[in-house]
Every structure is written in C-alpha cells, then in structure tokens.
Amino acid sequence: MTGYTHIASGKVRDLYALDDGRLLFVASDRISAFDYVLPTTIPDKGRVLTAMSLWWFAQLADVVPNHLLSTEVPAEFAGRAMICERLEMFPIEAVVRGYLAGSGLADYNRTGAVCGIPLPAGLVSGSRLPEPVFTPSTKAPRGEHDENISVDQMATAIGEDAAAALQQLSLAVYTKAESIARERGIVLADTKFEFGRRPNGTIVLADEVLTPDSSRFWPADLWEPGHPQPSFDKQFVRDWLTSPASGWDRASGTTPPPLPDDVVAKTREKYIEAYERLTGLAWA
Ligand code: PZK
C-alpha cells in the first residue's frame, strides 16, 4: 500500500484517503463520555471495536452489502483499521430503537410517540418496544446534536426510494443483530447506521457497526425497565466521573479529568467482555 492523507476525524475515529481512491477507516483508543473526549485512552479499545465491527459485517453479509475491502493496513494501524470503498454517503444517521432510552425516551415522555411513530401508553425508561422503530436524524456539525427527523423529511432530503431502502435495511439489520446479541446476554437497545451508495446505485452499509460506540449495549441480566439502564461498557467511567472522587462538576463546562488506572483497566475489560460474549471467541 502507498500513501495516505488524513481527511477527517470524529471524537474517536479517523479517516484517511489512500492514493488509489480507497478509504482507511481507523478506530482510536479514545473514549468519550458526557459528550467529551476524555484525556485518557483505553488500551485496545480501537482493536476490540474494529474486531467487533468486522464480526458483525460477516454476520450481516446476507442482509446488506458493506464497505469493507481489506484489513491489510499500515503497521501503525494494525488491528484497528479497515480499508473501505469510497461511497456517496447519505447525510442521514439511520437510527433504530428497540428499547426506550435517550432522545427516544424524551420524545415519548413529551408526545407519546418517537419521531412521530405512536407508541402504547405506559412505557418507561428501558422498556422493550412492541417492535423496533426507525428514527432517522440529520448529521449535525461537530459539537451540535443530531436532529431527529420524520421519514417524510428524510424522503425529501434523499428521495422516496432511498428513504424506503434505508428504513427497510436498517430494521432488518437491527432485528437480526438484536436477536444475536440478546441470546448472548447483551441488550442492543438502539443503534446508529450510516449508509452510502455505489456509482451503480447499490446501497451499502458503511462506518463501524453495532459497537458500543454506535449503539447502547446493556447487560441483559440487569435489564429492568423503570430506570436508566447501566451501560455495558461505560458505566465505570460515568460512575467515577460523577463521583466526588473525580472532583469534576459536569455542569461546569470543563473537560473531565484523567481516569484512574483501575477505571481504565475495568473499562478495557468490559469492551473485551462484550466482544467475547457476542462472538464466542477469546480476545487474546
Ligand atoms: C465517510 N465518514 C464518517 C468516519 C471520521 C468521519 N465508505 C465511505 N465512503 C465515503 N465516505 C465515508 C465512508 C465511510 N465510512 C464516513 N465520513 C465519510 C467518519 C470516520 C472518521 F472523521
């Protein structure tokens, strides 16, 4: 492989263009919490999430094509990068919710519906929905929050046919993944997909998929509707940052402090546990 040029960075991942036109998608060990990138990295997080995403792409290959071309990457990125085909990306976050949390819960409590989809009365934080709902949002510029839109608004933005295809593919992928995860002790409460299109019109699943960074993972054995569910991966981080021990005030607008070594180690173990539970494979 030849040269690569940095083209974009998100909170926790980086994107490069290769000289041959393909893209190099890199997962870092950075971690975010409460909308901040923390000043501490989690060793192996990028490799674990990349391995998880690759495993999901293989599980889902019968449902949707994906952008993965190769995992043969420069040594500095080994294990935490994918070479991907360059697509024309849809400017849409394709969100599917199977359980009530986050902005879906807020929407429901205000209106009895999620993104205009009416839901039965009596649902609470963490409830499983009667069936998964597709709740697209627009990609907001960095620092701003994505804005939920209706499927009608999505159709206006990208066309009726593409909107219908993204909805159908997103629900099919989530339904299969949620079932796999639940059998393995992880509740996949919701998730966000990104799709693009090949020059020939084929719609392709892009980005990383079904990782704890793109989804809410909850431990199934602790699932109990009626209160916010503990996060499979980030609960030690959140608990420490909001404890007196951190000295951090979430309302202060200041960057969170570095994590102590034991919180880093326990969080690393949770990412590995999620990978091992889902895939049935030993991490290392
Ligand atoms: C693409 N992003 C988001 C990811 C970042 C930003 N296969 C593709 N073809 C064309 N564009 C993209 C993809 C993918 N995946 C994805 N932006 C463009 C993103 C990682 C780091 F900074």
Side-chain angles (χ1 to χ4, degrees):
M1 212 192 57
T2 45
Y4 47 94
T5 311
H6 177 253
I7 54 174
S9 285
K11 283 198 185 118
V12 302
R13 65 233 168 106
D14 307 296
L15 196 61
Y16 300 82
L18 303 184
D19 290 344
D20 61 12
R22 299 178 302 168
L23 296 177
L24 180 65
F25 185 108
V26 180
S28 75
D29 289 343
R30 301 192 294 275
I31 183 172
S32 68
F34 301 120
D35 270 348
Y36 293 93
V37 178
L38 304 185
T40 313
T41 54
I42 306 296
D44 298 324
K45 172 173 179 276
R47 290 199 299 138
V48 176
L49 268 59
T50 298
M52 201 182 284
S53 201
L54 293 171
W55 184 82
W56 279 121
F57 278 144
Q59 299 300 305
L60 298 164
D62 61 341
V63 182
V64 63
N66 63 69
H67 69 159
L68 175 69
L69 294 172
S70 168
T71 54
E72 254 180 62
V73 298
E76 64 172 308
F77 302 127
R80 58 187 185 90
M82 309 182 285
I83 295 177
C84 302
E85 64 180 301
R86 189 190 281 269
L87 304 165
E88 182 198 343
M89 298 300 289
F90 293 104
I92 298 288
E93 308 273 11
V95 176
V96 181
R97 304 170 185 278
Y99 297 74
L100 215 42
S103 73
L105 174 64
D107 217 11
Y108 174 77
N109 285 337
R110 218 174 37 244
T111 69
V114 173
C115 285
I117 302 153
L119 292 173
L123 301 178
V124 294
S125 178
S127 286
R128 188 167 202 244
L129 302 178
E131 57 189 58
V133 295
F134 178 64
T135 64
S137 61
T138 56
K139 285 185 214 173
R142 253 231 269 186
E144 291 167 51
H145 281 277
D146 296 342
E147 189 191 344
N148 288 339
I149 56 172
S150 65
V151 175
D152 276 0
Q153 287 171 297
M154 179 176 68
T156 301
I158 67 172
E160 292 283 355
D161 292 1
L166 262 56
Q167 174 167 31
Q168 182 268 323
L169 287 170
S170 297
L171 288 167
V173 171
Y174 173 83
T175 298
K176 177 161 183 176
E178 193 272 339
S179 164
I180 292 173
R182 194 157 33 87
E183 284 170 8
R184 294 158 189 213
I186 294 174
V187 173
L188 182 61
D190 52 37
T191 195
K192 180 210 77 179
F193 301 116
E194 296 200 25
F195 291 92
R197 192 159 40 193
R198 290 181 181 144
N200 73 2
T202 306
I203 293 177
V204 176
L205 183 59
D207 207 271
E208 61 170 47
V209 292
L210 298 158
T211 69
D213 278 2
S214 66
S215 320
R216 280 192 179 83
F217 280 28
W218 296 337
D221 56 336
L222 300 180
W223 177 59
E224 183 184 66
H227 57 85
Q229 305 301 299
S231 160
F232 196 97
D233 50 305
K234 283 184 183 163
Q235 203 56 46
F236 291 123
V237 171
R238 292 184 183 151
D239 288 349
W240 184 79
L241 284 176
T242 54
S243 76
S246 78
W248 182 62
D249 175 10
R250 202 182 152 182
S252 69
T254 60
T255 305
L259 301 173
D261 290 350
D262 66 310
V263 174
V264 172
K266 286 195 288 184
T267 301
R268 176 180 175 277
E269 281 302 324
K270 293 307 287 187
Y271 286 114
I272 290 170
E273 184 188 344
Y275 171 82
E276 292 189 331
R277 273 212 208 186
L278 276 175
T279 66
L281 302 166
W283 169 245

